[in-house]
Amino acid sequence: MDVKNREEEFNLRELIKPYLKKWYWFFISTFITALLAIVYIKFATPVYKVQSSVLIKDAKKMSNAAGDFGVLAGLGGFAGMGTNSIENELEIFKSKKIVEDVSKNLKLQVSVYSKEKYYDVELYKDTNPFIIHVVNEKEFEELPKKPIDIKIDGNVITLSSEELKKNIVTGFNRTISLPYANFIIEKNPKFNRKKVKKLDLKEFYFTFSDFVTIVDDYQKAIEVDLLDKDATVIGLSMSNATVDKSKDILNGLVSIYNEYAIKDKNAESKKTKDFIDERIILISKELGEVESDKERFKIDNDIIDIGTEAKMNLQISNETRRKSLELDTQIELSRMLLGYIDNQTNTYQVLPTNIGLDNPTATSNITAYNKLVMDRNRLLENATPENPLVKEVNKDLVGLKNAMRESIQRYLINMNATKNQIDRENSYSDALVQKVPRQEKLFRNIERQQQIKENLYLLLLQKREEAAISMAITDSKARVVDEAYAAKKPVSPKKMIILAGALFLGALLPFLFIYIRELLNTKIVDKHDLDNLTSSSVLAEIPRLSSKENELIQHNDVSPLAESFRILVTNIKFMLPRKDTAKIIFVTSTMKGEGKTFISVNLSLALATSQNRVLVIGSDIRNPQLQRYNPAMKNAKGLSEYLYEEINDSKDIIKPSGFHPNCDFIYSGSIPPNPTDLLQNGRYAKLLSSVENDYDYIILDTAPLMLVTDSFLISEVADSTIYVTRSETTEKDFIEFANKNIASGKIKNTGFVLNDVHKTNFGYGNQYGYGYQQESKNTWFEKYFK
């Protein structure tokens, strides 16, 4: 399988390996977040959701349930019972005006709290041992940002705050002047200690907000929605820590809403009743005058019963008189209504309806006119007279008013024409009673006037009672379906959701950390990374050493370090050719600091036995590192002197390693100014030829390939190349550089060594360790967490 295919291969085990290695991070993180969630739940103030629902009545359906009063549905007072749109009612419940009235009634500007063990509890009504009244607010003063602490000792009250220059000592029922308002604190006679028996009630404080802020806050907190799109039931709800306060607010909304609705519905009925009362006074006066005229006529003419004498003749003209009377009544009513329209001082007043006028066109026009007047009044509540909608309504009102005037005038013309015809018929019948004295005719005229006034008077009395009944039986527009109630369980904090979220967050944080670290990691970490990046063999993994561990393997060493180099020796032998002279091992890397010298020295110690002799040549003459394992040889002559021909005999630069009798070193010597020229002058090959028969293995500790060309100059002498990489140090891109050099033949017979591997990143063996003695010494904590 080539490198590309290895990179594309999906290995689930390798994918989850970074997370499994850090399993204890997940445990610790979830434990901490769960603990924080529990603490939050314990100290968070519980918030309860309070709900209510109301049914908005429809006036159009009222006649089915209103009994005998259904005939009054045409009165103006009942017309306001209808609702044009349920969406309008939703907006009324959300309006600022209705919330303002509720806030005023409940006095919500001041909130009193008791400092308790876990969270502060708001005291409200009978749970509050004292009541704080706002006498007045001080305009243009800065409102408090911090609460006011209250300490009560008998009848002595002490107020303190960080914003106050000094404490205020006062008593109950006294005016307290604060920078932003005046208050009075009094004992609450309705305080119920049993209701808050679980509270300490030792430390108190109160907060104060201006009225506008309170209204805005509660307007946002109140939720209004239609429970069913096919019904007119509105649901009200709000979430608050104080259940009783939420109940009072929702119930107050319904109460204020009904007050507004009843006031609106009674406006037209009241206007009709007031008009009828005015007309009753006028007609009563006129009726009294007619009756007085009748009395004087009888006395003056000494008349007792004219009807008996003219009975027969009157029967003939009875029908014509009846029609004439009806027409007179209609004409009089029309003239009265026309006079009322012409004499109005205000162009947009509600007109009287159902006064007995037998003119359907005029009646419908009056009803339409009254509706437009009410619509205009509603618009003016939230708009100015210059509003385009108001102007449009004004235009419609003027048109209707002109239409009504023309309709009534035409009606009067028709009635007068009809009456003239009937009067002519009546005159014909009167001719039949010419024998009746002239006094009878005059008396009949007086009686006619009296009858007209009596009919008008009785009709007005009837309509006044109907209007009064309409106002008396006006019911609430919103019927409460469910009074405000609170759920038993709080809506906040939601314990299970918070705990689940905490556990999820606890697992997510280490996951994200590891994921991002792996995503941003550009360095080789374990053997798997090397396997994916190169087709060359990975010969061994060298474990990371602690500061207490020895860097060099010892005789009969069973440590993980010694075991890893024995594995390296085993694998490198399979790569080396069979020959009689020394096998040359080329040790190199991409950059400095990846452990070439460390690998070279320990590999030489692993190879050195009683039968095998090993020579290590420090071939990095630019940056010598071999001397650090024997500081005494820091200034010893070595490879540089030999290449410069200062020393001609190779035996003069071979030094014992001091670590094993069959392991020798050739140190780099002094740093020359021209290392490249020295390495390619032929002396390096001569050195190897002179020592290859004396040793079984020659290890060349060379310079990094990417930084200088020195190592490429001598790479052709190697039988095998060990390419050293370092875990968490070597960039993955460097392996591409190595692959190109391997493919081009610049370095040959190459195998990789991964140095400084943390034990959790070993490709194998990490669960048991290389040395059994080492495992037995580990404590239980080291076994499970290291």
Side-chain angles (χ1 to χ4, degrees), residues 198-231:
K198 295 182 179 180
L199 303 182
D200 292 337
L201 298 182
K202 294 180 179 179
E203 298 183 24
F204 306 94
Y205 68 88
F206 75 90
T207 59
F208 173 79
S209 299
D210 64 292
F211 188 73
V212 174
T213 302
I214 286 293
V215 172
D216 288 341
D217 291 343
Y218 283 109
Q219 188 179 17
K220 295 175 182 176
I222 297 170
E223 297 179 6
V224 183
D225 199 4
L226 192 63
L227 296 184
D228 192 327
K229 64 179 181 179
D230 296 325

Side-chain angles (χ1 to χ4, degrees), residues 381-503:
E381 291 179 0
N382 295 307
T384 63
E386 300 301 320
N387 188 284
L389 294 177
V390 176
K391 289 183 176 182
E392 184 66 23
V393 173
N394 292 343
K395 181 179 179 181
D396 295 339
L397 286 171
V398 172
L400 273 176
K401 187 174 180 181
N402 293 331
M404 285 189 294
R405 185 182 289 108
E406 292 176 1
S407 175
I408 295 172
Q409 288 174 349
R410 286 196 300 271
Y411 184 74
L412 280 173
I413 292 172
N414 293 334
M415 290 297 100
N416 285 326
T418 305
K419 182 178 181 300
N420 290 334
Q421 181 180 357
I422 292 175
D423 286 344
R424 286 194 296 271
E425 293 177 1
N426 193 32
S427 297
Y428 177 77
S429 63
D430 287 344
L432 299 177
V433 291
Q434 290 179 357
K435 294 181 181 181
V436 179
R438 182 173 177 272
Q439 292 84 358
E440 184 180 18
K441 181 178 180 181
L442 296 174
F443 184 74
R444 188 166 59 247
N445 290 331
I446 295 174
E447 280 189 332
R448 186 183 298 116
Q449 291 294 323
Q450 180 186 16
Q451 191 173 2
I452 292 172
K453 301 299 181 184
E454 285 180 350
N455 289 339
L456 286 173
Y457 186 77
L458 292 176
L459 179 63
L460 291 174
L461 286 178
Q462 178 185 353
K463 294 302 178 181
R464 184 179 67 175
E465 290 304 312
E466 290 178 357
I469 292 172
S470 170
M471 295 177 62
I473 66 171
T474 299
D475 195 9
S476 300
K477 190 173 184 179
R479 181 170 67 83
V480 177
V481 178
D482 290 320
E483 290 192 354
Y485 65 94
K488 292 183 178 180
K489 294 183 179 180
V491 295
S492 173
K494 296 182 178 180
K495 298 180 181 179
M496 297 308 298
I497 294 178
I498 292 175
L499 284 175
L503 293 176

Side-chain angles (χ1 to χ4, degrees), residues 274-329:
D274 292 342
F275 169 75
I276 293 175
D277 287 339
E278 293 177 2
R279 300 308 301 168
I280 284 176
I281 294 173
L282 180 61
I283 296 300
S284 177
K285 182 179 178 181
E286 293 178 353
L287 182 61
E289 292 176 354
V290 172
E291 289 178 344
S292 298
D293 291 342
K294 181 180 179 180
E295 180 182 6
R296 284 194 302 271
F297 182 86
K298 284 185 176 183
I299 294 174
D300 294 342
N301 295 279
D302 196 17
I303 296 174
I304 298 174
D305 186 6
I306 300 177
T308 303
E309 300 175 5
K311 184 176 180 180
M312 296 300 298
N313 294 328
L314 289 175
Q315 287 178 351
I316 299 173
S317 62
N318 183 54
E319 183 66 21
T320 57
R321 281 203 310 270
R322 183 185 63 80
K323 292 180 180 180
S324 179
L325 286 174
E326 290 179 356
L327 291 173
D328 286 337
T329 301

Side-chain angles (χ1 to χ4, degrees), residues 14 18 59 78 111 161 185 201 212 235 241 290 333 413 512 735 778:
E14 293 298 331
F78 289 93
S111 299
S161 173
I185 301 177
L201 298 182
V212 174
V290 172
L333 287 174
I413 292 172
L512 288 177
I735 305 303
N778 289 341

